[in-house]
Amino acid sequence: MTKIDDCTLVLFGASGNLSRIKLIPGLFRLDSLGRLPEKMKILSVGRSDVKESAWRDDIKSMLDIKFKKNYDAKVFDRFIARNFYHANPPDDENAFKRLSERLSDASTFPQNLAFFLSVRPSDFASIVDLLASVGLTDETKAWRRVVIEKPFGTNLETAQALQKSITKHLKETQIYRIDHYLGKSALQNILLTRFANHIFDPLWTHEHIDHIQITNNETLGVGERTQFYDATGALRDMIQSHLMQMLALTTMEMPETLSPENIRAEKIKVLESITPIPLSELKKHTFKAQYGRGKINGEEVKGYLEELGSPTSVVETYAALKFYINTPRWKGVPIYVRTAKRLHASDTAIAIKFKKAPLSLPVQADNWLVISIQPKEFTRFEIQTKIPGLDTKVRTVAMDAPNRITGDESVDAYESLLLNLMQGDQSLYLHINEVEASWRLLDPVIKAWNEDKSPVFTYPAGSADPAESKIIFDKPEQFWRQSIEIGENKL
Ligand code: BG6
């Protein structure tokens, strides 16, 4: 277990959803697992003037909801004693000076400081400016780290501007850019499956792989976040960050070691080797659609436009893209990336389809390797075996390996990321070059989609992938794979 320095976590946007649902319960869980340093403190910062006792009551209600009132009273007392509240009203010019004075009380607050900015993205740069203006980013006596929630920029230009602004005050080692998917143990499993099993590496090339599918589908709709979503769309919301990271982990070269630097360096290399999508052939490489009214688990749900309350939006809730990686390993292998809200099933997975065996047989299906991330964590390898009997016929059978078995620790992505933050381990955080590489690839597509005001394809909520999405496939026999079903589920 890596030793963690005593530190203070300063949580901006503490009363927001992320903090209530993930961060504070996550910190509590870490405390119950004995993973928080003894003197560690949490200073929640919010705009409203809330009394410390009221804030502590509020924390209790967050934990009651999250753990259904089922938690250890002793751990609760210890956790509550770590928690403080600080009001930073937006109209108070001296707010950050007061914050710095409060934090300078070293008898209460350990001086290693991690600032978690769970705030509006438009506030990231100004908060870092203000922290620096009162000396809170200065590392002369103790470490200072800043966590920036997704999205880091809304395009390449704004990402670069944000980077320029925060690096006036912070070194790369102080910046923790979150992509919470990297905190999922199932995602970390991609690298280990690939590199801890020597059998896979020789097969991981264009000679053996027909294509790869990187999928995140949700049955959920956009929920309360209509305005945010309408300004963002599926491509920006999911593909630019989470899915491009899944793609990088699936296709990167083996790092020299599993050190944070080596892993990030290989991810950056592969992201930078992706061929830009040719805008002249956009319709063969990309597809977008929007959900309409439909049924999820038998219940009627509204369409996107009804939820939004505006009939004209053409923003995508379904996005599918085709990439090629310009390296000898991946020559000519299409990599299909798709994400959707309100599809018939939730499914996050990497599915690799291997080329057909050279021997010609009467009925011959394909070999697939599926690494399922959620809702179930498993690896499935599908092979062809003979059907017992007089004829020479084969069928597909699945070799299933559960990646999670009863009794395994269940750790939320944010819990491992918070721990890494305190440990100073950046391997599960994004390097600026990864963020930039991803924006560089997607910006032109986002721009072209924004300019295209023609009617958007729609799919009923609760349906499978829209049949029209097949347009991006290289070959007629390719189809969208659902991770659980055996590989015959053609559109
Ligand atoms: C977020 C997106 O980053 O990830 C959401 O903004 C999405 O739209 C969510 O629903 C999915 O995360 P998870 O961990 O539930 O798969």
Side-chain angles (χ1 to χ4, degrees), residues 113-117 128 131-132 135-148 152 163 166-177 264 421 424-426 429-431:
L113 304 177
F115 299 97
F116 197 118
L117 310 191
V128 174
L131 290 173
L136 284 173
T137 53
D138 184 298
E139 288 203 300
T140 319
K141 296 209 182 109
W143 55 251
R144 303 288 155 90
R145 298 172 187 152
V146 179
V147 182
I148 309 239
F152 194 90
Q163 171 70 1
I166 62 177
T167 49
K168 284 188 290 187
H169 314 295
L170 302 168
K171 300 189 288 279
E172 182 64 27
T173 50
Q174 293 179 271
I175 308 172
Y176 287 66
R177 299 176 197 82
R264 295 213 301 192
L421 165 70
D425 177 348
Q426 289 182 303
Y429 286 86
L430 301 175
H431 190 274

Side-chain angles (χ1 to χ4, degrees), residues 255-309:
E256 241 174 74
T257 67
L258 289 181
S259 75
E261 297 73 28
N262 288 341
I263 294 178
R264 295 213 301 192
E266 290 303 340
K267 277 198 289 164
I268 293 167
K269 267 195 230 156
V270 80
L271 287 169
E272 291 181 345
S273 309
I274 298 175
T275 311
I277 290 179
L279 290 182
S280 55
E281 293 190 4
L282 204 61
K283 292 244 149 63
K284 283 199 205 145
H285 289 251
T286 69
F287 176 81
K288 66 167 184 159
Q290 192 183 73
Y291 64 81
R293 187 174 260 281
K295 277 192 177 168
I296 297 279
N297 300 330
E299 281 201 18
E300 281 275 342
V301 293
K302 287 184 181 166
Y304 176 73
L305 294 180
E306 285 173 89
E307 288 176 322
L308 180 67

Side-chain angles (χ1 to χ4, degrees), residues 150 180-181 184 216 218 225 228-229 237-238 242 341 374:
K150 141 181 184 285
H180 80 274
Y181 265 49
K184 292 182 192 270
N216 167 279
E218 295 175 282
R225 303 189 305 159
F228 158 81
Y229 200 87
D237 185 40
M238 293 297 294
H242 310 323
K341 298 251 184 240
Q374 57 191 28

Side-chain angles (χ1 to χ4, degrees), residues 78-300:
R78 183 171 75 211
F79 184 70
I80 255 333
R82 296 179 187 275
N83 276 277
F84 300 84
Y85 184 86
H86 185 83
N88 237 14
D91 51 356
D92 177 359
E93 275 179 19
N94 290 320
F96 279 76
K97 193 156 164 279
R98 283 193 302 101
L99 176 64
S100 140
E101 280 161 11
R102 176 123 195 234
L103 284 168
S104 67
D105 168 13
S107 62
T108 308
F109 297 111
Q111 295 298 291
N112 293 310
L113 304 177
F115 299 97
F116 197 118
L117 310 191
S118 172
V119 296
R120 282 182 312 199
S122 53
D123 291 339
F124 293 151
S126 55
I127 293 183
V128 174
D129 279 344
L130 288 161
L131 290 173
S133 71
V134 293
L136 284 173
T137 53
D138 184 298
E139 288 203 300
T140 319
K141 296 209 182 109
W143 55 251
R144 303 288 155 90
R145 298 172 187 152
V146 179
V147 182
I148 309 239
E149 251 300 330
K150 141 181 184 285
F152 194 90
T154 49
N155 55 29
L156 181 61
E157 202 184 330
T158 51
Q160 284 173 334
L162 177 59
Q163 171 70 1
K164 194 165 169 206
S165 174
I166 62 177
T167 49
K168 284 188 290 187
H169 314 295
L170 302 168
K171 300 189 288 279
E172 182 64 27
T173 50
Q174 293 179 271
I175 308 172
Y176 287 66
R177 299 176 197 82
I178 280 214
D179 179 326
H180 80 274
Y181 265 49
L182 291 181
K184 292 182 192 270
S185 152
L187 229 77
Q188 294 153 29
N189 178 46
I190 301 172
L191 276 198
L192 289 169
T193 300
R194 287 188 58 196
F195 299 128
N197 298 295
H198 193 51
I199 49 168
F200 288 131
D201 195 47
L203 296 179
W204 226 253
T205 77
H206 69 98
E207 282 158 35
H208 303 291
I209 291 180
D210 177 75
H211 74 271
I212 298 179
Q213 297 184 15
I214 314 266
T215 300
N216 167 279
N217 290 333
E218 295 175 282
T219 51
L220 285 177
V222 298
E224 313 265 279
R225 303 189 305 159
T226 46
Q227 296 309 320
F228 158 81
Y229 200 87
D230 207 55
T232 306
L235 188 46
R236 270 205 189 100
D237 185 40
M238 293 297 294
I239 296 188
Q240 191 275 338
S241 46
H242 310 323
L243 276 85
M244 293 311 280
Q245 283 297 315
M246 284 166 63
L247 184 156
L249 291 169
T250 309
T251 56
M252 65 188 248
E253 296 295 319
M254 189 188 304
E256 241 174 74
T257 67
L258 289 181
S259 75
E261 297 73 28
N262 288 341
I263 294 178
R264 295 213 301 192
E266 290 303 340
K267 277 198 289 164
I268 293 167
K269 267 195 230 156
V270 80
L271 287 169
E272 291 181 345
S273 309
I274 298 175
T275 311
I277 290 179
L279 290 182
S280 55
E281 293 190 4
L282 204 61
K283 292 244 149 63
K284 283 199 205 145
H285 289 251
T286 69
F287 176 81
K288 66 167 184 159
Q290 192 183 73
Y291 64 81
R293 187 174 260 281
K295 277 192 177 168
I296 297 279
N297 300 330
E299 281 201 18
E300 281 275 342

Side-chain angles (χ1 to χ4, degrees), residues 463-483:
S463 61
D465 296 77
E468 295 85 352
S469 63
K470 255 196 123 177
I471 185 131
I472 70 168
F473 288 136
D474 268 7
K475 300 179 194 156
E477 63 271 23
Q478 291 174 344
F479 58 92
W480 290 121
R481 166 82 209 216
Q482 311 295 328
S483 67

